[in-house]
Amino acid sequence: MASTTEDLSHLPLEIRSIITTESSDGITFPASPIPHTHRTWARTFSSHPEVYLQPSTLPQITKITNLARRCRRRLVVVGSGHSPSNLTCTSSWMINLDKYSRVLSIDPTTGLCVLQSGIRLWQLSEALNKEGLALPSMGSINEQSIAGAISTGTHGSSLEHGLISEGIESLKIVLANGEEVSCSPTERQDLFRAALLSLGAIGIVTEVTFRAVKAFSLAWEQSIDSDGKLFAEWESKLWKQSEFVRVWWFPYMRRAVVWKADKVDENDLDTGVVRNYDPPTSFQDSKFGYFVYHNLLALARWFPRITPWVEWFVFGLQYGFGNGEATTTRAVQPSYRAFLLNCLYSQFVNEWAIPLAKGPEALQRLAAWLHRLQPGDEGYVEHKIPFSAEGLWVHSPVEVRVSDTTVKTSAERGNRPWLDITPEDGPALYLNATMYRPYHRDPSKNATERYYEAFEWLMRDLGGKPHWAKTFAVTPEEFASKQWYGEDFHQFRKVRDEVDPLGMFVGPWQRKFLLGEPAEEKDRLALEEVGFKQEPAKGGGFVVTGQQNAVVA
């Protein structure tokens, strides 16, 4: 995609002049000739970048960075846009690395892979599988780029694994000065720890060296039962019974689905003792079930009191109306398929990590609040949440997952991200509160805001921290406090300020959650994008518009 000045006629004359002046080097400026609309996967937010760029070479990425600095423009790198927040929105320059996505090398013996950073996880899984390798763990989707998964703290669900980034040996990053630098636990360690969870605020990750493992299949099974059984087994066996375990909790039914998976012995697969097979098509994965559930959620926007019935009906058809062994579903699948989950519809997602031991307390207190239980009621506990749940109805399930980042990462090893949300001294429990947006329309009035206000209060009370890529309301002052990140937050800020002093990778999201507002407007960074304005979008969600910097000749 080579641009001409005619392609860029929508840009200010000063910018076109600078781009034209720099065109004699033979390196194309890979801008889209047509206006681009960026939308998050959930269509919660959209924006119209001034320029949409898809570089395919390192010199192009370097050129874009140098031109952005000359034109006083912010840079935003975007992949799948799976975060429901406005983190990836901009009215400035947007870079998509889908064309910078080659596998540079794979060593089947050691598992060491060198990748261009735009490769999507599904592409990486295919490439690894051809070499008899696989990712050690995955989240529930595979549409993210490897750089995006790293930058937002993506994780799976296992006490034997932490964040996806724990498999990274080294990174290369193009900084705001246009220089590509390398970093690892032994080289520029502070930068490495910042880049492992960078939130787009450090630079452009260009190359990832990652250690894969031998390809494996997972024998998994899932069943539904009362949440009382879940709580009874929480400490003794629930999370230790298999290498991978995840849970979906249904607050109105007071039931939970437990999914567990273990690796299949390679010899059993080779000899045919065990064969891969898919599970039966579930209700939600069928076209009919998908349509029915979608429309019931839409109906509940107008009649929210039917929400508990929708939960009982839909998930009864999905998992069974009874409990226990009779509801069990089983399959054996290659790992890159077994991990995946159908995310269904547009949604808001608010996810926090708390200490694993506090899980039963968290779910029981949330249930007591949602059901408005009183002393003497079955299941009553004192929830202490200082907000009313009267007239509030929420969607389900709450996704419950675990990780233990202490197994393979630590500050001493030099590979724990500064902004890792998990405890430094033990396993983490992730609670993911989802509110669907049927047909891209928000739930009933104020339902999401009321639910998340109470949910976040409870998570704070239990010592939690929010997942960076999801919806949350936390200030930089909270993040910087000793009870939250303390010195680690200041170290991240220090690295960020050193490598991007002009704010090329700073926008309103980074201001709101990382940097804080300056005391005076004159104290803003020279290149930062300011002043996000949100207006309702046709078809739902919000259009986000930022304020451009003046071009200095």
Side-chain angles (χ1 to χ4, degrees):
M1 177 169 53
S3 298
T4 66
T5 52
E6 289 77 15
D7 293 335
L8 305 176
S9 59
H10 62 289
L11 295 180
L13 179 61
E14 299 93 330
I15 289 182
R16 278 185 283 153
S17 176
I18 292 172
I19 293 173
T20 301
T21 301
E22 297 292 334
S23 63
S24 60
D25 59 7
I27 302 170
T28 58
F29 184 68
S32 171
I34 58 175
H36 177 79
T37 298
H38 166 70
R39 294 183 178 88
T40 60
W41 171 83
R43 292 181 176 251
T44 43
F45 294 97
S46 62
S47 63
H48 304 286
E50 183 178 60
V51 179
Y52 182 72
L53 300 134
Q54 286 191 303
S56 58
T57 67
L58 180 60
Q60 286 180 337
I61 294 173
T62 301
K63 179 170 184 170
I64 290 167
T65 306
N66 290 329
L67 283 173
R69 188 174 60 256
R70 285 197 60 189
C71 295
R72 303 185 72 235
R73 288 301 186 255
R74 176 196 179 199
L75 289 179
V76 176
V77 183
V78 64
S80 64
H82 215 271
S83 170
S85 74
N86 60 18
L87 171 63
T88 56
C89 290
T90 185
S91 293
S92 194
W93 290 11
M94 178 173 285
I95 301 175
N96 172 270
L97 297 177
D98 281 353
K99 295 183 179 180
Y100 196 76
S101 58
R102 292 191 299 119
V103 175
L104 301 179
S105 66
I106 296 179
D107 186 332
T109 304
T110 64
L112 207 62
C113 317
V114 182
L115 320 162
Q116 290 182 334
S117 60
I119 191 168
R120 301 293 181 105
L121 295 184
W122 66 267
Q123 294 173 313
L124 175 56
S125 293
E126 288 183 355
L128 291 176
N129 189 55
K130 290 177 182 177
E131 301 293 336
L133 298 172
L135 293 166
S137 178
M138 283 180 63
S140 299
I141 60 171
N142 61 1
E143 290 297 323
Q144 304 133 299
S145 67
I146 185 68
I150 295 166
S151 298
T152 54
T154 299
H155 61 90
S157 189
S158 171
L159 288 182
E160 298 180 29
H161 302 274
L163 305 181
I164 300 299
S165 62
E166 70 183 11
I168 295 173
E169 302 279 333
S170 64
L171 295 169
K172 289 186 179 179
I173 308 167
V174 170
L175 302 178
N177 62 6
E179 178 187 1
E180 185 185 51
V181 299
S182 300
C183 58
S184 71
T186 57
E187 178 185 12
R188 300 187 71 156
Q189 184 188 113
D190 285 354
L191 177 62
F192 183 66
R193 294 182 65 185
L196 285 176
L197 208 165
S198 69
L199 302 167
I202 299 296
I204 304 171
V205 175
T206 51
E207 188 175 291
V208 179
T209 300
F210 186 91
R211 192 172 299 278
V213 299
K214 201 165 188 178
F216 59 96
S217 284
L218 288 174
W220 63 261
E221 65 177 59
Q222 66 183 25
S223 59
I224 191 167
D225 215 318
S226 69
D227 64 3
K229 181 180 179 183
L230 181 84
F231 301 143
E233 296 179 348
W234 193 275
E235 293 187 6
S236 61
K237 63 173 283 189
L238 176 64
W239 302 107
K240 304 170 186 175
Q241 60 187 314
S242 294
E243 181 173 351
F244 302 96
V245 180
R246 54 190 178 187
V247 171
W248 295 277
W249 177 67
F250 301 93
Y252 294 119
M253 295 191 294
R254 297 302 303 265
R255 301 166 76 202
V257 170
V258 177
W259 181 96
K260 58 183 181 179
D262 284 298
K263 293 173 182 173
V264 178
D265 185 274
E266 184 182 6
N267 290 331
D268 288 345
L269 282 174
D270 290 343
T271 59
V273 173
V274 177
R275 298 180 184 275
N276 287 317
Y277 67 94
D278 293 332
T281 301
S282 69
F283 175 72
Q284 289 179 350
D285 286 333
S286 70
K287 291 182 179 179
F288 176 71
Y290 183 93
F291 175 81
V292 167
Y293 187 28
H294 206 179
N295 282 277
L296 286 174
L297 288 170
L299 184 64
R301 290 185 68 244
W302 300 101
F303 306 100
R305 285 183 177 275
I306 72 169
T307 302
W309 175 86
V310 172
E311 178 183 288
W312 169 83
F313 177 73
V314 169
F315 293 103
L317 292 173
Q318 174 76 2
Y319 299 111
F321 290 97
N323 284 334
E325 181 65 27
T327 67
T328 302
T329 299
R330 295 181 175 87
V332 179
Q333 295 176 298
S335 61
Y336 59 86
R337 292 181 59 193
F339 286 128
L340 300 184
L341 178 71
N342 185 350
C343 291
L344 296 174
Y345 321 111
S346 172
Q347 58 197 251
F348 292 115
V349 184
N350 197 324
E351 179 178 344
W352 288 57
I354 63 175
L356 177 61
K358 295 186 178 181
E361 178 186 352
L363 296 177
Q364 288 167 344
R365 288 172 65 182
L366 185 59
W369 179 73
L370 287 171
H371 286 272
R372 300 178 286 283
L373 298 181
Q374 300 298 317
D377 292 342
E378 183 180 357
Y380 170 80
V381 296
E382 186 180 4
H383 59 72
K384 300 180 183 179
I385 298 173
F387 309 106
S388 172
E390 193 65 39
L392 176 65
W393 308 98
V394 304
H395 295 155
S396 56
V398 172
E399 187 176 34
V400 186
R401 295 182 289 172
V402 295
S403 77
D404 192 344
T405 57
T406 68
V407 174
K408 299 174 183 176
T409 65
S410 66
E412 292 72 26
R413 295 183 180 105
N415 63 348
R416 178 179 170 88
W418 294 118
L419 298 183
D420 190 337
I421 71 173
T422 64
E424 294 186 63
D425 56 358
L429 181 78
Y430 302 92
L431 295 179
N432 187 342
T434 298
M435 289 292 280
Y436 287 112
R437 305 177 62 247
Y439 298 101
H440 303 112
R441 302 295 183 184
D442 292 350
S444 55
K445 187 177 180 180
N446 296 328
T448 302
E449 291 83 353
R450 291 179 62 197
Y451 182 27
Y452 285 174
E453 181 181 43
F455 181 75
E456 292 193 6
W457 186 94
L458 178 60
M459 295 299 100
R460 282 180 171 91
D461 194 51
L462 294 169
K465 298 190 188 82
H467 191 302
W468 288 103
K470 309 297 174 65
T471 302
F472 59 86
V474 180
T475 66
E477 291 73 26
E478 280 186 283
F479 284 131
S481 68
K482 187 176 181 180
Q483 292 77 17
W484 288 55
Y485 288 97
E487 185 59 28
D488 283 357
F489 192 80
H490 295 295
Q491 285 295 326
F492 177 85
R493 284 278 307 272
K494 178 183 176 185
V495 173
R496 205 225 71 75
D497 293 345
E498 288 174 351
V499 298
D500 182 25
L502 299 180
M504 179 181 288
F505 300 100
V506 173
W509 190 96
Q510 285 77 16
R511 265 291 169 202
K512 182 176 181 180
F513 297 113
L514 297 177
L515 307 185
E517 291 299 324
E520 298 182 38
E521 284 300 306
K522 65 180 179 63
D523 297 327
R524 289 194 180 276
L525 302 175
L527 305 185
E528 76 168 281
E529 184 178 9
V530 301
F532 267 0
K533 181 174 66 175
Q534 294 185 177
E535 297 179 339
K538 184 178 180 181
F542 291 93
V543 177
V544 177
T545 306
Q547 179 181 325
Q548 296 287 24
N549 293 308
V551 180
V552 179

